[in-house]
Each structure stands twice: as C-alpha cells, then as structure tokens.
C-alpha cells in the first residue's frame, strides 16, 4: 500500500517531477488557454507527460490541476470532475509504484482585508478542489507557488476538513520574501505549527536563487523540505517562452541541496523529464543528510511577516495587555459600535514601548465578540506586524479570529473547565495556533504548586490524546496576589521551574496580579519579574509602558547571558541615572515627526484621516496644500519604505486605501475653474490572463497620485485596450500578465499602438515580465511593482506632454 508519510520517514531523498505547462505548450496548449481545459480535451497528452516523468526517475508526479478552482477554470468546467479526472489520469499513467500529488495553486484572490474574499470562503473553494483530487486517488495534497501566508493556511485547513492525506505547502519568494511580506523563516514556522508534512519552495527563479531559501527553511523547522526550482528565468524567443538552463547544470546545482538536508527535490517551470532524469541520477534514493534540528524554541508565534520565538535561551517576551476594555469606558463604547480606533492607538503605544505580542481582549457588556474580535484582528494585522494573542472565553469568537489571522496567533487560553480542551484544542491544532494552558478547574483557585501541576498534567494528557503537539503549549503559572496569599509567588516560581525541567515547556503569567492590593506595585512587579526570569519564565503579560518593568527585563537579559556583550542594554541605558525613567521604547518614530495628516497616511490610519482633514480645513487649511504638501509626500514615503522592504504589500495597501479615503472626503473641494484634466492611464490584464491582483494594486496607487485610471479588468483583448485608450485620451496604457503563456499578448497592444500612430505610451509589468522582455517587444516602460509603476507612469506622461 502506498504511504507517502512512511516514505518521508524512510530517510531517502524523494524525486518529484518537473514542469507541466511548458511541455503542454509544445504539444498543443494555446497561449492563454487553461492547462486544465486542455487536459480535459486531451487527457492522453497529460498522461504521457506523467509517464515520461516516472520513467525519468520521479517518485512523485503532480496532477495537472494547479488552476482547477472555480475562480480559474473556464466556464462550463466542473471543479470536482476536472480534479478527479486529472488525478485519475496521473494515477493510471504511473501505476502503483509512484506517488501522485494533488496540485493546488493560488486562486488569484486575496483574503480580506487585502482583498474581498473571506478565509472561510477560500477554504470552501479549496475543499471543492480537494474532494475531486481525493476521489481521483491522490496520495498527498500539495499547495504550490503560494504567495500569501493566509491562503496557504486556507489550503491546509481545507485539506484537513476533507481528508487525512499528507499535506505539503510550497511558497514562492522573490528577494527573500513572498509578495505579501512573508520570509522563508516565518513561512516554515507557521507551517510547522500547522503540522504540515512537507514544507518547501518552488518556482521563483533558478536553483542558485533557491539555495538560500532552502537553507533558511531548513534552519527554521524540523519538517521534511521540498525544493523545486525553475530551469532559470524565462525568456521569450520567436514568440515562445524558453528556459535556458540545461538538465545537467540544473541537476548539479540542485543536488547541492541534498547535502544540506533537503528531503525532496524536483523542478518547476521549464524543467523537463530530462532535467528530472539528470537529477535522479545524482540524488535518487540517496539518504537524506539533514542533521537533527537542535535550535528548536519552546513555542513560536507568527504574524504574516514576523516570527517570535519563546524559549529558555531566547529573550523573555512581553505580551502587551492594554487592549482590554476592563476599566476603559471609551474603549468599551467603541467596541460596542464595532470601532477599532482606540484598539489601534493602544497597539501603537505598546509596540513603541517594546511589546513583542499584543493581547487582544474585546470582551465587554453588549459587545458581540464573534464580530468584534475578528474585526480587531483584521485592523491590527493591516496596521502592524506584531503577532497577536487572542484573549476570549468564547470559542466561536476564537474560531472567527483565527480565520481572520494570517499567521500563528497565540490563544489565551485553554483551562481545565469542562470541554474546554476538547473544544478549543483541536481548533488550535488544526489552525496551528499555540495556546496558553491555564491551570484552573472548578471554582477553587489552586493556590499551591502541587495543585496547579496536577491540573497541568491532566490537561497535557488530554492534549496528547487529541494529538496536540507540545510545541503549541505555553503554561500560565497563574500569578495570584501575595497580599492575600503570601505563598502565591513561591508557588508560581515552582511551577515555572517544573515546567522547564520536567516537560520542557515555556511559561507566562499576568504579572501585575501578584501585587494587587499593595503599595509600590511597580516595585513588587519588577522584582518578581526578575525572580521568574531566573526560574525560566519565557514571557509575561503586562503593560510595556512601565519603565521599571522594562529596566528589570533589560537587566535580567544581561544577567542570564542572553544579551551578548550587553549590547542591547548599553544601547538603551548608557545615559541612565537613578530615578530616571529612560528606556529604549519611548522615543517617537521618524514618521511621527510629520503632521497628523502625514502620519495618518504613513501609518494607514484609515478611520482617522477624514476627521483630520475636516479639522484642518475648518481651521482654514487649503485642501490643495493638504494633498500636495502632506498626503502625496506621505504616500511617496510609503513607496520608498516598500521599495526598501521596510513595508510590505499589506502596509502598502492599507496606506493607499487611507490616502484614497482622505482624498474622497475632500474631493468636492478639489475642483478649480478651468483646471486641466489629469493624465489618464488605461490599465488591463492581457487577453487569456485572469490574474488581476498586481494590476489592481497599481490602479490604487496611480489614483492616489492623482491619475485618472480607467481599469478595463482582466482577460482584455489588445483591440479593446487600444480602443479604450483612444476613447479616454489616455497618455499611458498599463499592461499586466502573470503567466508566461499570456505575456506574449502584450506585444499585440504595442504593435496596435504603433500601427494606429497613437502618441500614448505603453508600460508593462507582472510576475513573469522582465525589463529585457519589455525592451524586446518595444514597450516604452517597465515596472516591477506598484510603486515603480507610479514612477514610470509619471515619466511617460511627461514625455507625452512634451511631444
């Protein structure tokens, strides 16, 4: 019986197959045609390719279903039927001796708040596809070429809800990050939290470029790793896409990854059975050379772009407690109205003060937590990179928040209450969410360490029965007030030491509880923090704005040998004097030195911008001066940070939407008598291509810089694009393509513009498009991202005006 998990554990390298699209093109796939549509019409061609790969030495072949979801398949094709048919074609072609991986590609949709689809919506889309793949007899589900961590998570959740097959996830990176700002390290840690069987990277570029990605993944997780590079970068030669890296050099470079410990190797775009034959000859059935993964933290939480490790040799982490309506009447009122303004304010303050995570508690009378908690999560993840701790006793609210969160959030908490572990444990396991284990059971508080440890041991046994790995568990040592229970602090320290020494588990606590009812609470809290750190505590929940706590934390890291050469301490406290409250985290950021309007755009404060502008105008400010002197410089600064990889796509979109919201709120004041019409840009994704994420972002950025944008959508013929340019008097035509099979359509528009003698310029861009290709087809400009597109459009519009 075929068992992919067992083969992964056998310790020998598994060879995967190579590219499919480029081979289908050679056998009749038309430019822009769906490979799945072609496969349904010519299944014998697809089967033949699978057979060729198997004979070349591939032990895993991948189904021709990369785009077989309802959002990508042409009208008239049934999702289940396509996936089942393509899976059966692969199985019949290779027989029982070769594994079949069910390919699941991205939908082309962005999950909210980056796009208009919910996480649950994505899960349902993928479940449709995966049901067909399972019915067709695949041995594993393989998510390929993923570019957003949230969508990758959706594939894993969908697979778990449909079947118990192994799941692999492969992400594509460019310049060390994915499109939405995820590094290989963050990706690997998030996927390992979700318990996926195979973690990897494919496409992106040639094998040399993926070596660093592979090593980063290997250093970040213990799961088997899959690497599938392209045969170099694509080039267009005589109207056909060509990958120039031959089989032997490809195999020689990829085989070096075997020595690093990669367990599964294959190819992506442009690779052929000959590439796989050469790779199999060098690596097939060789033992995996990976050393034991020794740098494992106790626990890791992630956002879309940041991973925070908890561990005994890591810094003690601050979980900021301020987003909590207890004692905060205005915050509670805003939560009742489903508003997030003060949530974002508290988040900003705590991040500046040094919080590693943000605890998010929206529980208050008349607050619908199932709506408010995910709403807060979406607002916070759009504005900040810091990971979140989801604090609620409502399981439905926790589920909704986990679906809104793009990484591995920390859940606060799972206690010994009836059915709490049975309800939340599997949810945290399947969503890859670490959780705080709270030693409470019944109405009696466990005062002694032995009482707490007994409850912890019982909960750990339940977690094991539910197949919840220890790497997802953080123990709350349960700080009780020493004013009424003098032994409470000693009990906490004993629990912390026991968790570390017996179970290897990290610990946390709500630190300020220890001093309730006493004077000089900061003194008690900071002293207890130092004692708990010495006992092995890995994090604590507190207000990071408390200077004395920050001082104790910084000094403790030096004394525990975790701040090497005391470099962080010296940088923060070199000017410290007794009684001073100086600290590393209270200085304003450079962006805060601008005007409130400038700062609102820079920080993506979408819910504040309209009120700020209205206030400035009421004071007599010129609306044109606000746009030209504050808003546009701010969005330009955002663009600079994006290009330097200080901001990523989520921040870029949020800031752009803030700019657009502000502009719309004062649009009626920005009309001058006789004012010249703004330059017009016509944007389109070319014929045959249904991907429009990149084009939509470019449209948003262009509008923010004052351009009149005519968005024609996706799959637009060259004649229609040129006709729209003439109709609207466009200065620039912007063309987007994501596939090598459709980028050839760009030349059609360039040629038509020249034949018609139009003065407008054409700029091109997209994942597969290069500057060399733009030059070859005669395009006037090339942009590799939305920020560059604004710069190129500005230059081209100036050329048109100058004649």
């Amino acid at each position: 019986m075929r068992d992919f998990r067992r083969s992964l554990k056998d310790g020998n390298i598994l060879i995967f197959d190579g590219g499919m699209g480029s081979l289908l093109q050679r056998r009749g796939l038309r430019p822009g045609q769906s490979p799945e549509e072609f496969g349904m019409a010519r299944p014998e061609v697809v089967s033949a390719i699978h057979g060729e790969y198997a004979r070349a030495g591939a032990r895993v072949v991948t189904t021709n279903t990369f785009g077989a979801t309802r959002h990508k398949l042409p009208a008239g094709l049934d999702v289940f039927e396509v996936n089942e048919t393509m899976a059966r074609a692969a199985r019949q072609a290779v027989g029982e001796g070769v594994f079949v991986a069910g390919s699941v590609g991205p939908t082309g949709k962005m999950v909210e708040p980056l796009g208009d689809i919910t996480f649950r919506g994505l899960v349902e889309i993928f479940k449709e596809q995966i049901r067909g793949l399972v019915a067709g007899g695949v041995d594993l589900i393989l998510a390929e070429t993923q570019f957003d961590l949230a969508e990758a998570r959706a594939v894993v959740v969908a697979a778990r809800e449909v079947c118990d097959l192994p799941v692999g996830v492969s992400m594509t990176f460019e310049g060390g990050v994915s499109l939405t700002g995820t590094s290989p390290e963050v990706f690997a840690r998030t996927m390992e939290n979700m318990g996926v069987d195979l973690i990897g990277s494919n496409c992106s570029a040639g094998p040399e470029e993926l070596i660093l990605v592979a090593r980063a993944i290997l250093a970040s997780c213990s799961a088997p790793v899959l690497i599938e590079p392209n045969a170099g970068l694509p080039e267009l030669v005589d109207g056909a896409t060509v990958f120039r890296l031959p089989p032997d050099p490809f195999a020689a470079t990829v085989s070096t990854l075997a020595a690093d410990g990669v367990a599964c190797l294959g190819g992506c775009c442009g690779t052929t059975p000959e590439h796989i034959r050469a790779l199999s000859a060098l690596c097939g059935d060789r033992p995996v050379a990976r050393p034991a993964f020794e740098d494992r933290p106790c626990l890791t939480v992630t956002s879309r772009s940041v991973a925070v490790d908890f561990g005994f040799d890591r810094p003690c982490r601050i979980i900021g407690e301020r987003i909590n309506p207890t004692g905060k009447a205005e915050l509670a009122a805003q939560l009742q109205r489903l508003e997030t303004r003060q949530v974002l304010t508290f988040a900003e303050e705590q991040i500046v003060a040094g919080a590693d995570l943000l605890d998010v508690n929206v529980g208050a009378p008349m607050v619908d937590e199932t709506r408010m908690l995910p709403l807060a999560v979406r607002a916070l993840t759009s504005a900040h990179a810091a990971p979140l701790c989801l604090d609620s006793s409502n399981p439905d609210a926790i589920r909704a928040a986990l679906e809104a969160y793009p990484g591995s959030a920390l859940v606060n908490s799972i206690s010994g209450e009836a059915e709490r572990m049975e309800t939340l444990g599997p949810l945290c396991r399947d969503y890859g969410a670490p959780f705080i284990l709270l030693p409470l059971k019944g109405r009696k508080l466990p005062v002694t360490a032995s009482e707490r440890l007994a409850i912890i041991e019982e909960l750990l046994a339940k977690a094991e029965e539910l197949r919840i790995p220890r790497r997802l568990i953080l123990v709350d040592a349960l700080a009780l007030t020493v004013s009424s229970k003098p032994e409470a602090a000693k009990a906490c320290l004993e629990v912390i030491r026991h968790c570390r020494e017996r179970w290897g588990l990290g610990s946390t606590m709500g630190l300020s509880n220890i001093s309730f009812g006493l004077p000089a609470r900061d003194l008690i809290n900071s002293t207890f923090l130092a004692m708990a750190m010495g006992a092995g505590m890995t994090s604590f929940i507190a207000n990071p704005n408390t200077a004395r706590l920050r001082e104790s934390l910084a000094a403790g890291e030096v004394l525990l040998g975790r701040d090497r050469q005391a470099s962080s301490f010296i940088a923060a406290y070199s000017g410290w004097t007794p009684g001073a409250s100086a600290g590393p985290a209270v200085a304003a950021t450079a962006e805060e030195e601008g005007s409130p309007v400038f700062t609102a755009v820079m920080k993506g404060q979408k819910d504040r911008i309209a009120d700020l502008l209205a206030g400035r105008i009421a004071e007599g400010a010129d609306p044109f001066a606000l746009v030209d002197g504050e808003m546009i410089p701010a969005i330009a600064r955002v663009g600079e940070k994006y290009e330097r990889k200080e901001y990523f796509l989520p921040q870029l979109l949020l800031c752009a939407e803030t700019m657009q919201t502000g502009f719309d709120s004062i649009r009626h004041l920005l009309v001058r008598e006789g004012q010249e019409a703004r330059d017009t840009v016509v944007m389109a994704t070319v014929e045959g291509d249904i991907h429009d994420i990149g084009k939509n972002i470019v449209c948003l950025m262009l509008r923010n810089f004052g351009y009149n944008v005519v968005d024609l959508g996706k799959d637009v013929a060259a004649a229609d694009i040129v006709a729209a340019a003439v109709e609207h008097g466009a200065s620039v035509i912007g063309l987007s393509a994501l596939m090598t099979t459709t980028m050839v359509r760009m030349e059609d528009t360039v040629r038509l513009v020249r034949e018609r003698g139009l003065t407008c310029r054409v700029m091109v861009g997209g994942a597969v498009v290069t500057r060399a290709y733009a030059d070859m087809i005669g395009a006037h400009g090339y942009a590799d991202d939305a920020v560059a597109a604004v710069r190129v459009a500005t230059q081209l519009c100036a050329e048109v005006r100058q004649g």
Side-chain angles (χ1 to χ4, degrees), residues 1 28 52 78 118 177 200 237 268 337 348 377 389 399 406 425 432 442 457 462 486 516 563 668 672 758 774:
M1 181 179 177
E52 290 168 19
D78 178 76
T118 65
V177 292
V237 179
C268 198
R337 299 192 299 267
E348 176 78 14
V377 165
C389 175
R399 176 182 289 276
E457 192 152 25
K462 283 187 180 180
F516 185 78
D563 182 0
H668 61 291
R672 284 176 175 156
L758 303 181

Side-chain angles (χ1 to χ4, degrees), residues 745-791:
R745 300 274 71 88
M746 291 178 162
E747 189 174 9
D748 299 343
T749 300
V750 175
R751 186 169 54 250
L752 265 180
V753 167
R754 286 181 175 158
E755 289 174 357
R756 298 280 298 273
L758 303 181
T759 59
C760 64
R761 302 295 198 262
V762 179
M763 69 174 181
V764 299
V768 295
V769 181
T770 63
R771 187 177 301 279
Y773 175 69
D775 293 340
M776 189 191 75
I777 65 173
H780 303 94
Y782 161 76
D784 58 1
D785 59 43
V787 174
V790 174
R791 188 168 56 247

Side-chain angles (χ1 to χ4, degrees), residues 28-353:
L29 177 68
R30 301 187 309 275
Q33 184 182 12
S34 159
E36 293 80 16
E37 179 184 39
F38 178 84
M40 292 297 284
R42 301 279 306 279
E44 74 282 359
V45 174
V46 175
S47 295
I49 292 172
H50 289 315
E52 290 168 19
Y53 275 123
R55 290 189 292 275
R59 291 191 58 200
V60 184
V61 299
T62 311
T63 58
N64 178 41
T65 55
F66 181 79
T69 58
R70 70 170 94 136
H71 282 290
K72 283 192 171 183
L73 285 176
L77 289 182
D78 178 76
V79 171
F80 183 91
E81 182 184 5
V82 169
N83 284 280
E84 181 185 29
T85 301
M86 290 294 94
R88 289 197 187 282
R91 169 58 58 219
Q92 292 167 4
V94 301
E96 294 298 311
V98 175
F99 295 109
V100 174
S103 173
V104 178
T107 60
K109 306 287 286 184
M110 295 289 278
V111 68
E112 60 183 10
L114 301 184
D116 58 1
I117 191 167
T118 65
F119 180 88
R120 178 46 54 177
L122 276 180
V123 170
E124 294 305 319
I125 288 168
F126 289 128
K127 285 170 71 174
E128 288 178 344
Q129 180 178 19
I130 292 168
R131 288 190 188 101
L133 292 170
V134 172
V138 300
D139 299 295
L140 68 145
I141 304 301
L142 180 62
E144 300 184 282
T145 327
Q146 298 294 313
F147 59 82
D148 180 44
L149 193 60
E151 186 166 15
R153 291 176 67 244
V155 179
V156 179
V157 171
R160 296 267 167 73
E161 292 183 5
V162 169
C163 63
D164 61 357
L165 290 176
V167 179
V169 182
S170 182
M171 185 166 268
T172 183
F173 302 93
E174 184 175 344
V177 292
S178 73
L179 176 65
T180 53
T182 300
S183 68
E185 294 87 349
V186 172
F187 163 65
R189 282 177 157 85
T190 305
M191 291 297 104
E192 185 157 55
N193 277 347
M194 296 192 81
V196 303
D197 300 271
L198 188 61
I199 300 172
S201 181
N202 72 295
C203 204
S204 306
E208 290 184 357
E209 289 79 1
L210 278 188
I211 288 175
L212 291 178
V213 171
R215 289 173 178 166
I217 295 174
L218 287 165
S220 302
C221 69
S222 59
V225 174
L226 164 69
I227 299 295
E228 296 179 295
N230 292 342
L233 291 172
E235 300 178 35
L236 202 65
V237 179
D238 297 329
T241 304
V242 174
F243 294 83
R244 294 191 180 276
L245 187 61
D248 289 339
F250 171 86
T253 305
V254 174
S255 66
T256 63
L257 293 171
D260 289 332
V262 173
C264 301
L265 294 166
C268 198
C269 302
T271 56
T272 67
E274 289 307 312
H275 288 81
I276 299 308
R277 181 174 285 106
L279 182 61
S280 179
L282 290 176
C283 301
D285 289 327
R286 273 175 49 183
V288 176
R290 187 173 184 179
F293 181 65
E294 297 178 351
D295 192 32
R296 177 184 290 281
C298 297
L299 173 143
T300 299
V301 292
T302 68
S303 65
R304 189 180 257 114
S305 58
V306 171
V308 176
D309 292 336
F310 292 54
F312 308 120
D313 58 351
R314 265 76 168 181
C316 188
R317 304 300 186 180
I318 307 176
I319 304 173
E321 68 181 6
R322 296 278 290 149
I323 305 175
N324 187 320
T326 303
K328 302 182 183 77
E330 178 54 32
L331 176 58
Q334 287 189 20
L335 296 176
Q336 290 164 3
R337 299 192 299 267
L338 300 178
E339 295 176 4
T340 60
R341 183 177 300 186
Q342 201 162 79
V343 167
L344 291 170
T345 298
F346 283 135
E348 176 78 14
E349 291 173 357
Q350 292 181 104
I351 290 169
V352 170

Side-chain angles (χ1 to χ4, degrees), residues 282-538:
L282 290 176
C283 301
D285 289 327
R286 273 175 49 183
V288 176
R290 187 173 184 179
F293 181 65
E294 297 178 351
D295 192 32
R296 177 184 290 281
C298 297
L299 173 143
T300 299
V301 292
T302 68
S303 65
R304 189 180 257 114
S305 58
V306 171
V308 176
D309 292 336
F310 292 54
F312 308 120
D313 58 351
R314 265 76 168 181
C316 188
R317 304 300 186 180
I318 307 176
I319 304 173
E321 68 181 6
R322 296 278 290 149
I323 305 175
N324 187 320
T326 303
K328 302 182 183 77
E330 178 54 32
L331 176 58
Q334 287 189 20
L335 296 176
Q336 290 164 3
R337 299 192 299 267
L338 300 178
E339 295 176 4
T340 60
R341 183 177 300 186
Q342 201 162 79
V343 167
L344 291 170
T345 298
F346 283 135
E348 176 78 14
E349 291 173 357
Q350 292 181 104
I351 290 169
V352 170
D356 299 291
L357 279 77
L358 300 174
D359 189 80
V360 186
N361 184 327
V362 300
M366 297 182 292
V367 173
D368 183 350
E369 284 193 73
T370 59
R371 294 178 64 194
M372 188 63 236
L373 189 57
L375 182 64
V377 165
R378 284 190 287 271
L380 288 165
T381 54
S382 294
H384 302 290
L388 302 183
C389 175
L390 309 176
D391 189 348
S392 176
S393 59
N394 184 330
D396 292 333
I398 292 292
R399 176 182 289 276
L402 287 176
E403 293 190 345
Y405 191 73
S408 293
L410 181 63
V411 170
N412 186 8
S413 56
I414 297 181
S415 67
E417 295 175 26
E419 301 301 314
R420 185 80 174 170
M421 177 65 77
E422 290 79 1
T423 300
L424 282 181
L427 181 66
C428 290
R429 176 197 66 204
D430 293 344
Y431 280 75
F435 61 88
I436 296 174
L437 191 152
L438 183 64
L440 283 177
K441 185 179 179 182
R443 296 186 177 183
K444 181 185 175 185
L445 283 175
V447 176
T448 67
S450 59
E451 290 175 302
R452 300 178 201 186
L453 292 171
I455 297 172
I456 293 168
E457 192 152 25
E458 180 182 333
L459 290 174
L460 289 177
K462 283 187 180 180
E464 188 172 355
E465 290 174 8
L466 294 168
R467 297 179 292 107
I468 298 169
R470 293 280 176 93
R471 66 172 177 267
L472 295 182
I473 299 175
L474 180 69
V475 174
D476 191 328
L478 195 59
L480 304 177
T481 177
V482 292
S483 61
S484 60
K485 296 177 176 59
E487 68 274 38
K490 290 175 63 177
C492 270
L493 297 177
E494 188 175 338
V495 169
I496 291 168
R497 280 191 289 266
H498 192 96
C499 287
R500 175 178 183 168
E501 294 168 4
R502 179 171 178 182
W503 296 312
L505 292 174
S507 54
T508 192
M509 69 174 75
L511 188 69
S512 63
N513 293 340
I514 204 74
S515 63
F516 185 78
L518 293 174
R521 294 188 66 187
D522 285 356
L523 182 59
I524 294 286
N525 295 342
S526 60
T527 303
F528 186 54
L529 170 61
M531 297 171 70
M533 288 174 66
M537 184 175 71
T538 54

